[in-house]
Amino acid sequence: MPRQLGELEDAVMTRVWQWNRPVTVREVLEDLSQERSIAYTTVMTVMDNLHQKGWVRREVDGRAYRYTAVSTRAAYSAALMNEAWSTSDNPAAALVAFFGMMSAEQREALRDAMRMVVPTLPEDTAAPAAEADEAADGAEPEPER
């Protein structure tokens, strides 16, 4: 399981993920320099560390390396959520607490994601799924007829 990225690692990886193309240390440095004072060697060390940890791959381009993300930001976030959930002594309670922290927009995104993962539910599971949606919205489920 991945360990959470440090602040500077995350800042570097954010650029690599956003740009979605091979990047050089110089490009990342120039962009980071707009937010903070940072040395070329610091960015180079961070990118080398990310390579050693398996977050980026690199290819030689002249006298420099070009770095590319090995995985997506979504996959990284999902792995962190899975790791946190799997370490709980009560995963169901952890999920309920997590869902309780979600905004309406996040609950809608969760519903959309569930529809992608489980596009067609058998008839006998459609009612519980609808009840779960209503419970996530804080609404009372419809009584069975």
Side-chain angles (χ1 to χ4, degrees):
M1 289 295 176
R3 137 186 110 68
Q4 188 169 359
L5 296 170
E7 179 192 351
L8 191 51
E9 290 174 327
D10 186 68
V12 169
M13 284 305 301
T14 294
R15 281 144 180 91
V16 175
W17 282 320
Q18 285 176 343
W19 295 338
N20 196 27
R21 61 173 173 75
V23 300
T24 64
V25 171
R26 176 73 53 203
E27 290 172 309
V28 174
L29 170 70
E30 288 172 2
D31 200 59
L32 283 172
S33 293
Q34 296 175 23
E35 299 173 0
R36 63 177 93 191
S37 176
I38 191 165
Y40 179 91
T41 54
T42 301
V43 177
M44 183 176 65
T45 299
V46 169
M47 294 185 81
D48 184 61
N49 289 344
L50 290 167
H51 175 256
Q52 298 299 322
K53 293 176 181 180
W55 288 104
V56 294
R57 69 178 62 91
R58 65 185 180 194
E59 295 179 10
V60 176
D61 183 15
R63 294 181 44 192
Y65 286 115
R66 289 209 173 262
Y67 294 84
T68 309
V70 170
S71 183
T72 65
R73 177 129 211 164
Y76 165 68
S77 297
L80 288 178
M81 288 187 288
N82 186 55
E83 182 177 9
W85 183 49
S86 67
T87 60
S88 173
D89 61 344
N90 188 340
L95 281 175
V96 169
F98 178 65
F99 295 155
M101 295 176 194
M102 296 175 112
S103 68
E105 293 81 19
Q106 290 169 322
R107 286 193 307 273
E108 186 60 33
L110 175 62
R111 277 188 214 91
D112 291 344
M114 289 300 296
R115 286 183 198 105
M116 285 186 252
V117 173
V118 187
T120 55
L121 294 173
E123 287 293 322
D124 60 338
T125 61
E131 290 171 10
D133 279 353
E134 290 169 355
D137 286 334
E140 291 295 319
E142 291 286 323
E144 289 189 33
R145 298 180 213 270

